[in-house]
Amino acid sequence: MAHLLAVVGGGDLSTHAVLAVEALRKAASGRNQPIEFEVRPGGHPLSEAAIAGADTVLLVGSGDLAEGRFSALTRARVAIDEVLTDVHAVLDRVLAGAASAPAAPRPDARTRIVAITSCPTGIAHTFMAAEGIQAAGKALGYDVRVETQGSVGARDALTVAEIAAADIVLIAADTGVDRARFAGKRLYATTTKAAIRDGKGLLATALAEAQLQPTGGAAAPSSDAPTRPAAEKQAGAYKHLMTGVSFMLPFVVAGGLLIALAFALGGIDAMAPGNAGTLAYALGEIGAKAAFVLIVPALAGYIAYSIADRPGIAPGMVGGMLATNLQAGFLGGIAAGFIAGYTARFLNRHIRLHRNLEGLKPVLILPLLATLVTGLAMIYVVGVPVAAALAGLTGWLKGMQGASALVLGLVLGGMMAVDMGGPINKAAYASAAALLSSGVDAPMAAVMLGGMTPPLGIALATRLFPRRFTAPEREAGGAAAVLGAAFITEGAIPFAAADPLRVIPAMVAGSAVAGAIALTQGVTLKVPHGGLFVLPIPNAVTNVTGAVIALVAGTLVTAIAVGLLKKTRTL
């Protein structure tokens, strides 16, 4: 007797889906016909063993039914209304072989890969990783489609048909990526660096090690879900933190620029109560009392989202708001995000309910319990000591002068050039961006100027010392200058990769000089990105002259050091 599977997609008609399942169950039982069910979204997924032992799958209703799992089975499609109207006729057609035949083999044997790339700022690494995957796919003869999740959202979004037809899904991201649409597909996850460094090797590894994605959806991971690939595990807490930072940045940028514009229009007292009703006061209210208030909740909420998917957002944001109210700032927000994320994930994996009550978990049980645990932990355990630590850190940073400012500038600036967008670079950047929410804006100046210096210094070196570079490198120098002006440190990566032992120390030296001069000259920056393009904005940068001096000095140091260290190349 044929073994039958049924996948029912209810969409907005969840009640109809349940009724269809019960009708099929009753009719199959009356025929002694073995049948196993999966209701999407949210139901218990069919096991791999069940799929392997089945002959036919009945696809009922609409929505994402993760059909790619059943390429070896005979597939039949029916509407929910057909099942509810005459379930026996449906079973007769399926069991008599009148249903759809298995999907026809593809006319070509080319491997099909769909991919997503994403980095915390959504700029350079996102697109460099995409280019690495596309170039590797072309060289290996694979069909590759890449969706980039950048700073302005997804570009070239993958379609449902493309995902269904793909052999594997590849995620190269330094932030959390929603996997709900990849249920039932083989998936491999890694970092953007792997795609940039060795695209061909990554594709080979992904095809060999991709694992079946749970069919319950990303929002409801189960304890028996396949283990994530080792490459993704290694990212650990860093990846979760970077996800929070990537969602936090738009609030920092918008709030900082609006506050700067408020000061530009209304002077230093633009937000004083006496100026209520003016445009400057309104801009200040939007920036300081709306956008900036949401910085820490966004950071905490999306750290928790990276850990626990959707169930983590609400408790994370509530914990972040408590951190703000308790004066625990971004440090408290980070703590709240991790507490909320791991709490929500633990509860989601260990609370088991009858299938008819599963719908209560995401809307009632998980938000309530995870928010309760997170809130109590913030109020009674974390908030006070973290607030004291942040107050001490803030006081020290605001009081920096002389040797302390010099040392901090050297460290922050140098960190930006060590790995140009890697973990060390991002650690310095994330720390400086988060400090903006506490009113500490000097470290951001050292970080941005230190990050602009490597590509600008390399670009200058290609002009001052042309014999140290090949013809293609000299041509790439112009592009590096543009990227450096826009604060995209990654523009220097190709030059560092070609000669790391000489180029990286030269870039670290220049960036450290830029950062040190910036802090000793009292340069501050209210926005976390923009490069040279933020300098003309009134009050976005304090001491513009000092900023320019720091940037020029750092660029010269890098260029001269590169010229002295690199050997003459064959022209």
PDB file of all heavy atoms in Angstrom, residues 324-353:
ATOM      1  N   THR A 324      17.792  51.757  29.119  1.00  0.00           N
ATOM      2  CA  THR A 324      17.785  53.207  28.935  1.00  0.00           C
ATOM      3  C   THR A 324      17.244  53.913  30.176  1.00  0.00           C
ATOM      4  O   THR A 324      17.825  54.882  30.674  1.00  0.00           O
ATOM      5  CB  THR A 324      16.935  53.573  27.706  1.00  0.00           C
ATOM      6  OG1 THR A 324      17.505  52.971  26.542  1.00  0.00           O
ATOM      7  CG2 THR A 324      16.892  55.079  27.512  1.00  0.00           C
ATOM      8  N   ASN A 325      16.130  53.418  30.688  1.00  0.00           N
ATOM      9  CA  ASN A 325      15.510  54.049  31.862  1.00  0.00           C
ATOM     10  C   ASN A 325      16.375  53.927  33.107  1.00  0.00           C
ATOM     11  O   ASN A 325      16.327  54.797  33.990  1.00  0.00           O
ATOM     12  CB  ASN A 325      14.136  53.434  32.119  1.00  0.00           C
ATOM     13  CG  ASN A 325      13.149  53.736  31.018  1.00  0.00           C
ATOM     14  OD1 ASN A 325      13.328  54.691  30.253  1.00  0.00           O
ATOM     15  ND2 ASN A 325      12.116  52.929  30.886  1.00  0.00           N
ATOM     16  N   LEU A 326      17.160  52.843  33.206  1.00  0.00           N
ATOM     17  CA  LEU A 326      18.025  52.628  34.367  1.00  0.00           C
ATOM     18  C   LEU A 326      19.393  53.286  34.198  1.00  0.00           C
ATOM     19  O   LEU A 326      20.273  53.091  35.045  1.00  0.00           O
ATOM     20  CB  LEU A 326      18.215  51.122  34.591  1.00  0.00           C
ATOM     21  CG  LEU A 326      16.958  50.335  34.993  1.00  0.00           C
ATOM     22  CD1 LEU A 326      17.223  48.838  34.904  1.00  0.00           C
ATOM     23  CD2 LEU A 326      16.534  50.721  36.404  1.00  0.00           C
ATOM     24  N   GLN A 327      19.575  54.046  33.097  1.00  0.00           N
ATOM     25  CA  GLN A 327      20.845  54.722  32.795  1.00  0.00           C
ATOM     26  C   GLN A 327      21.983  53.725  32.572  1.00  0.00           C
ATOM     27  O   GLN A 327      23.150  54.039  32.794  1.00  0.00           O
ATOM     28  CB  GLN A 327      21.221  55.685  33.926  1.00  0.00           C
ATOM     29  CG  GLN A 327      20.165  56.701  34.301  1.00  0.00           C
ATOM     30  CD  GLN A 327      19.796  57.599  33.121  1.00  0.00           C
ATOM     31  OE1 GLN A 327      20.673  58.128  32.437  1.00  0.00           O
ATOM     32  NE2 GLN A 327      18.504  57.781  32.882  1.00  0.00           N
ATOM     33  N   ALA A 328      21.618  52.499  32.147  1.00  0.00           N
ATOM     34  CA  ALA A 328      22.645  51.490  31.877  1.00  0.00           C
ATOM     35  C   ALA A 328      23.166  51.576  30.447  1.00  0.00           C
ATOM     36  O   ALA A 328      24.124  50.875  30.097  1.00  0.00           O
ATOM     37  CB  ALA A 328      22.093  50.090  32.141  1.00  0.00           C
ATOM     38  N   GLY A 329      22.540  52.392  29.598  1.00  0.00           N
ATOM     39  CA  GLY A 329      23.030  52.673  28.264  1.00  0.00           C
ATOM     40  C   GLY A 329      23.251  51.457  27.385  1.00  0.00           C
ATOM     41  O   GLY A 329      22.584  50.428  27.527  1.00  0.00           O
ATOM     42  N   PHE A 330      24.223  51.586  26.484  1.00  0.00           N
ATOM     43  CA  PHE A 330      24.421  50.524  25.502  1.00  0.00           C
ATOM     44  C   PHE A 330      24.972  49.252  26.136  1.00  0.00           C
ATOM     45  O   PHE A 330      24.698  48.155  25.655  1.00  0.00           O
ATOM     46  CB  PHE A 330      25.342  51.014  24.376  1.00  0.00           C
ATOM     47  CG  PHE A 330      26.804  51.005  24.703  1.00  0.00           C
ATOM     48  CD1 PHE A 330      27.608  49.934  24.363  1.00  0.00           C
ATOM     49  CD2 PHE A 330      27.382  52.079  25.370  1.00  0.00           C
ATOM     50  CE1 PHE A 330      28.956  49.929  24.661  1.00  0.00           C
ATOM     51  CE2 PHE A 330      28.729  52.082  25.673  1.00  0.00           C
ATOM     52  CZ  PHE A 330      29.529  51.004  25.323  1.00  0.00           C
ATOM     53  N   LEU A 331      25.737  49.383  27.227  1.00  0.00           N
ATOM     54  CA  LEU A 331      26.219  48.171  27.906  1.00  0.00           C
ATOM     55  C   LEU A 331      25.051  47.376  28.469  1.00  0.00           C
ATOM     56  O   LEU A 331      25.001  46.150  28.356  1.00  0.00           O
ATOM     57  CB  LEU A 331      27.190  48.547  29.033  1.00  0.00           C
ATOM     58  CG  LEU A 331      28.532  49.153  28.612  1.00  0.00           C
ATOM     59  CD1 LEU A 331      29.355  49.509  29.845  1.00  0.00           C
ATOM     60  CD2 LEU A 331      29.311  48.199  27.724  1.00  0.00           C
ATOM     61  N   GLY A 332      24.099  48.078  29.079  1.00  0.00           N
ATOM     62  CA  GLY A 332      22.901  47.409  29.564  1.00  0.00           C
ATOM     63  C   GLY A 332      22.084  46.833  28.429  1.00  0.00           C
ATOM     64  O   GLY A 332      21.486  45.761  28.564  1.00  0.00           O
ATOM     65  N   GLY A 333      22.043  47.553  27.293  1.00  0.00           N
ATOM     66  CA  GLY A 333      21.313  47.058  26.131  1.00  0.00           C
ATOM     67  C   GLY A 333      21.912  45.765  25.601  1.00  0.00           C
ATOM     68  O   GLY A 333      21.181  44.839  25.219  1.00  0.00           O
ATOM     69  N   ILE A 334      23.235  45.689  25.565  1.00  0.00           N
ATOM     70  CA  ILE A 334      23.888  44.457  25.113  1.00  0.00           C
ATOM     71  C   ILE A 334      23.534  43.306  26.053  1.00  0.00           C
ATOM     72  O   ILE A 334      23.188  42.201  25.617  1.00  0.00           O
ATOM     73  CB  ILE A 334      25.413  44.659  25.033  1.00  0.00           C
ATOM     74  CG1 ILE A 334      25.754  45.648  23.904  1.00  0.00           C
ATOM     75  CG2 ILE A 334      26.120  43.329  24.815  1.00  0.00           C
ATOM     76  CD1 ILE A 334      27.212  46.056  23.870  1.00  0.00           C
ATOM     77  N   ALA A 335      23.614  43.574  27.362  1.00  0.00           N
ATOM     78  CA  ALA A 335      23.271  42.537  28.331  1.00  0.00           C
ATOM     79  C   ALA A 335      21.816  42.106  28.173  1.00  0.00           C
ATOM     80  O   ALA A 335      21.500  40.898  28.181  1.00  0.00           O
ATOM     81  CB  ALA A 335      23.519  43.051  29.752  1.00  0.00           C
ATOM     82  N   ALA A 336      20.923  43.078  28.014  1.00  0.00           N
ATOM     83  CA  ALA A 336      19.498  42.754  27.854  1.00  0.00           C
ATOM     84  C   ALA A 336      19.258  41.928  26.604  1.00  0.00           C
ATOM     85  O   ALA A 336      18.449  40.981  26.607  1.00  0.00           O
ATOM     86  CB  ALA A 336      18.679  44.046  27.797  1.00  0.00           C
ATOM     87  N   GLY A 337      19.933  42.252  25.519  1.00  0.00           N
ATOM     88  CA  GLY A 337      19.749  41.504  24.281  1.00  0.00           C
ATOM     89  C   GLY A 337      20.141  40.043  24.423  1.00  0.00           C
ATOM     90  O   GLY A 337      19.421  39.144  23.963  1.00  0.00           O
ATOM     91  N   PHE A 338      21.282  39.790  25.064  1.00  0.00           N
ATOM     92  CA  PHE A 338      21.713  38.404  25.227  1.00  0.00           C
ATOM     93  C   PHE A 338      20.825  37.651  26.216  1.00  0.00           C
ATOM     94  O   PHE A 338      20.504  36.476  25.998  1.00  0.00           O
ATOM     95  CB  PHE A 338      23.178  38.357  25.660  1.00  0.00           C
ATOM     96  CG  PHE A 338      24.135  38.591  24.527  1.00  0.00           C
ATOM     97  CD1 PHE A 338      24.760  39.812  24.354  1.00  0.00           C
ATOM     98  CD2 PHE A 338      24.388  37.583  23.604  1.00  0.00           C
ATOM     99  CE1 PHE A 338      25.634  40.027  23.301  1.00  0.00           C
ATOM    100  CE2 PHE A 338      25.257  37.784  22.541  1.00  0.00           C
ATOM    101  CZ  PHE A 338      25.875  39.014  22.389  1.00  0.00           C
ATOM    102  N   ILE A 339      20.425  38.320  27.298  1.00  0.00           N
ATOM    103  CA  ILE A 339      19.532  37.658  28.257  1.00  0.00           C
ATOM    104  C   ILE A 339      18.215  37.296  27.575  1.00  0.00           C
ATOM    105  O   ILE A 339      17.714  36.160  27.682  1.00  0.00           O
ATOM    106  CB  ILE A 339      19.274  38.569  29.470  1.00  0.00           C
ATOM    107  CG1 ILE A 339      20.556  38.740  30.292  1.00  0.00           C
ATOM    108  CG2 ILE A 339      18.158  37.992  30.356  1.00  0.00           C
ATOM    109  CD1 ILE A 339      20.447  39.801  31.367  1.00  0.00           C
ATOM    110  N   ALA A 340      17.625  38.262  26.857  1.00  0.00           N
ATOM    111  CA  ALA A 340      16.337  38.025  26.202  1.00  0.00           C
ATOM    112  C   ALA A 340      16.449  36.961  25.122  1.00  0.00           C
ATOM    113  O   ALA A 340      15.590  36.077  24.993  1.00  0.00           O
ATOM    114  CB  ALA A 340      15.824  39.332  25.591  1.00  0.00           C
ATOM    115  N   GLY A 341      17.511  37.010  24.331  1.00  0.00           N
ATOM    116  CA  GLY A 341      17.663  36.057  23.237  1.00  0.00           C
ATOM    117  C   GLY A 341      17.805  34.632  23.717  1.00  0.00           C
ATOM    118  O   GLY A 341      17.104  33.725  23.239  1.00  0.00           O
ATOM    119  N   TYR A 342      18.698  34.420  24.664  1.00  0.00           N
ATOM    120  CA  TYR A 342      18.913  33.047  25.126  1.00  0.00           C
ATOM    121  C   TYR A 342      17.735  32.543  25.955  1.00  0.00           C
ATOM    122  O   TYR A 342      17.426  31.343  25.940  1.00  0.00           O
ATOM    123  CB  TYR A 342      20.218  32.957  25.910  1.00  0.00           C
ATOM    124  CG  TYR A 342      21.430  33.005  25.005  1.00  0.00           C
ATOM    125  CD1 TYR A 342      22.324  34.082  25.047  1.00  0.00           C
ATOM    126  CD2 TYR A 342      21.671  31.991  24.084  1.00  0.00           C
ATOM    127  CE1 TYR A 342      23.421  34.135  24.207  1.00  0.00           C
ATOM    128  CE2 TYR A 342      22.767  32.033  23.239  1.00  0.00           C
ATOM    129  CZ  TYR A 342      23.638  33.111  23.302  1.00  0.00           C
ATOM    130  OH  TYR A 342      24.716  33.163  22.445  1.00  0.00           O
ATOM    131  N   THR A 343      17.059  33.456  26.665  1.00  0.00           N
ATOM    132  CA  THR A 343      15.867  33.041  27.403  1.00  0.00           C
ATOM    133  C   THR A 343      14.764  32.607  26.437  1.00  0.00           C
ATOM    134  O   THR A 343      14.143  31.554  26.611  1.00  0.00           O
ATOM    135  CB  THR A 343      15.359  34.190  28.295  1.00  0.00           C
ATOM    136  OG1 THR A 343      16.371  34.539  29.244  1.00  0.00           O
ATOM    137  CG2 THR A 343      14.093  33.783  29.031  1.00  0.00           C
ATOM    138  N   ALA A 344      14.507  33.428  25.418  1.00  0.00           N
ATOM    139  CA  ALA A 344      13.455  33.102  24.450  1.00  0.00           C
ATOM    140  C   ALA A 344      13.775  31.815  23.697  1.00  0.00           C
ATOM    141  O   ALA A 344      12.889  30.976  23.456  1.00  0.00           O
ATOM    142  CB  ALA A 344      13.275  34.261  23.467  1.00  0.00           C
ATOM    143  N   ARG A 345      15.037  31.625  23.347  1.00  0.00           N
ATOM    144  CA  ARG A 345      15.401  30.411  22.619  1.00  0.00           C
ATOM    145  C   ARG A 345      15.235  29.169  23.505  1.00  0.00           C
ATOM    146  O   ARG A 345      14.733  28.129  23.046  1.00  0.00           O
ATOM    147  CB  ARG A 345      16.844  30.499  22.110  1.00  0.00           C
ATOM    148  CG  ARG A 345      17.198  29.370  21.159  1.00  0.00           C
ATOM    149  CD  ARG A 345      18.479  29.630  20.420  1.00  0.00           C
ATOM    150  NE  ARG A 345      19.643  29.384  21.254  1.00  0.00           N
ATOM    151  CZ  ARG A 345      20.905  29.439  20.810  1.00  0.00           C
ATOM    152  NH1 ARG A 345      21.124  29.766  19.536  1.00  0.00           N
ATOM    153  NH2 ARG A 345      21.915  29.219  21.612  1.00  0.00           N
ATOM    154  N   PHE A 346      15.635  29.282  24.762  1.00  0.00           N
ATOM    155  CA  PHE A 346      15.488  28.157  25.687  1.00  0.00           C
ATOM    156  C   PHE A 346      14.011  27.796  25.866  1.00  0.00           C
ATOM    157  O   PHE A 346      13.627  26.623  25.788  1.00  0.00           O
ATOM    158  CB  PHE A 346      16.107  28.516  27.037  1.00  0.00           C
ATOM    159  CG  PHE A 346      15.910  27.463  28.096  1.00  0.00           C
ATOM    160  CD1 PHE A 346      16.771  26.384  28.192  1.00  0.00           C
ATOM    161  CD2 PHE A 346      14.845  27.547  28.989  1.00  0.00           C
ATOM    162  CE1 PHE A 346      16.590  25.407  29.155  1.00  0.00           C
ATOM    163  CE2 PHE A 346      14.653  26.581  29.958  1.00  0.00           C
ATOM    164  CZ  PHE A 346      15.523  25.505  30.045  1.00  0.00           C
ATOM    165  N   LEU A 347      13.179  28.818  26.086  1.00  0.00           N
ATOM    166  CA  LEU A 347      11.754  28.552  26.290  1.00  0.00           C
ATOM    167  C   LEU A 347      11.116  27.969  25.037  1.00  0.00           C
ATOM    168  O   LEU A 347      10.289  27.048  25.107  1.00  0.00           O
ATOM    169  CB  LEU A 347      11.044  29.845  26.689  1.00  0.00           C
ATOM    170  CG  LEU A 347      11.428  30.426  28.052  1.00  0.00           C
ATOM    171  CD1 LEU A 347      10.792  31.809  28.231  1.00  0.00           C
ATOM    172  CD2 LEU A 347      11.009  29.504  29.190  1.00  0.00           C
ATOM    173  N   ASN A 348      11.499  28.492  23.873  1.00  0.00           N
ATOM    174  CA  ASN A 348      10.915  28.020  22.625  1.00  0.00           C
ATOM    175  C   ASN A 348      11.243  26.551  22.374  1.00  0.00           C
ATOM    176  O   ASN A 348      10.420  25.787  21.856  1.00  0.00           O
ATOM    177  CB  ASN A 348      11.418  28.881  21.465  1.00  0.00           C
ATOM    178  CG  ASN A 348      10.570  28.729  20.223  1.00  0.00           C
ATOM    179  OD1 ASN A 348       9.466  28.203  20.259  1.00  0.00           O
ATOM    180  ND2 ASN A 348      11.086  29.201  19.109  1.00  0.00           N
ATOM    181  N   ARG A 349      12.438  26.151  22.760  1.00  0.00           N
ATOM    182  CA  ARG A 349      12.860  24.770  22.512  1.00  0.00           C
ATOM    183  C   ARG A 349      12.309  23.787  23.532  1.00  0.00           C
ATOM    184  O   ARG A 349      12.179  22.595  23.239  1.00  0.00           O
ATOM    185  CB  ARG A 349      14.388  24.690  22.503  1.00  0.00           C
ATOM    186  CG  ARG A 349      15.009  25.317  21.267  1.00  0.00           C
ATOM    187  CD  ARG A 349      16.514  25.204  21.303  1.00  0.00           C
ATOM    188  NE  ARG A 349      17.090  25.634  20.034  1.00  0.00           N
ATOM    189  CZ  ARG A 349      18.397  25.667  19.775  1.00  0.00           C
ATOM    190  NH1 ARG A 349      19.252  25.310  20.705  1.00  0.00           N
ATOM    191  NH2 ARG A 349      18.852  26.057  18.605  1.00  0.00           N
ATOM    192  N   HIS A 350      11.999  24.253  24.716  1.00  0.00           N
ATOM    193  CA  HIS A 350      11.644  23.321  25.785  1.00  0.00           C
ATOM    194  C   HIS A 350      10.164  23.336  26.173  1.00  0.00           C
ATOM    195  O   HIS A 350       9.722  22.446  26.890  1.00  0.00           O
ATOM    196  CB  HIS A 350      12.506  23.593  27.024  1.00  0.00           C
ATOM    197  CG  HIS A 350      13.946  23.216  26.839  1.00  0.00           C
ATOM    198  ND1 HIS A 350      14.860  24.067  26.266  1.00  0.00           N
ATOM    199  CD2 HIS A 350      14.613  22.070  27.115  1.00  0.00           C
ATOM    200  CE1 HIS A 350      16.047  23.472  26.212  1.00  0.00           C
ATOM    201  NE2 HIS A 350      15.922  22.267  26.718  1.00  0.00           N
ATOM    202  N   ILE A 351       9.430  24.341  25.735  1.00  0.00           N
ATOM    203  CA  ILE A 351       7.993  24.335  26.016  1.00  0.00           C
ATOM    204  C   ILE A 351       7.290  23.580  24.907  1.00  0.00           C
ATOM    205  O   ILE A 351       7.346  23.966  23.734  1.00  0.00           O
ATOM    206  CB  ILE A 351       7.433  25.772  26.120  1.00  0.00           C
ATOM    207  CG1 ILE A 351       8.022  26.474  27.341  1.00  0.00           C
ATOM    208  CG2 ILE A 351       5.912  25.755  26.209  1.00  0.00           C
ATOM    209  CD1 ILE A 351       7.576  27.922  27.480  1.00  0.00           C
ATOM    210  N   ARG A 352       6.623  22.494  25.240  1.00  0.00           N
ATOM    211  CA  ARG A 352       5.917  21.676  24.270  1.00  0.00           C
ATOM    212  C   ARG A 352       4.424  21.752  24.545  1.00  0.00           C
ATOM    213  O   ARG A 352       3.975  21.516  25.678  1.00  0.00           O
ATOM    214  CB  ARG A 352       6.379  20.219  24.366  1.00  0.00           C
ATOM    215  CG  ARG A 352       7.848  20.022  24.017  1.00  0.00           C
ATOM    216  CD  ARG A 352       8.110  20.364  22.570  1.00  0.00           C
ATOM    217  NE  ARG A 352       9.483  20.120  22.191  1.00  0.00           N
ATOM    218  CZ  ARG A 352       9.992  20.419  21.019  1.00  0.00           C
ATOM    219  NH1 ARG A 352       9.199  20.977  20.108  1.00  0.00           N
ATOM    220  NH2 ARG A 352      11.245  20.189  20.742  1.00  0.00           N
ATOM    221  N   LEU A 353       3.668  22.068  23.519  1.00  0.00           N
ATOM    222  CA  LEU A 353       2.221  22.176  23.647  1.00  0.00           C
ATOM    223  C   LEU A 353       1.538  21.265  22.635  1.00  0.00           C
ATOM    224  O   LEU A 353       2.146  20.855  21.636  1.00  0.00           O
ATOM    225  CB  LEU A 353       1.768  23.626  23.412  1.00  0.00           C
ATOM    226  CG  LEU A 353       2.322  24.685  24.366  1.00  0.00           C
ATOM    227  CD1 LEU A 353       1.892  26.066  23.894  1.00  0.00           C
ATOM    228  CD2 LEU A 353       1.862  24.446  25.790  1.00  0.00           C
TER     229      LEU A 353
END
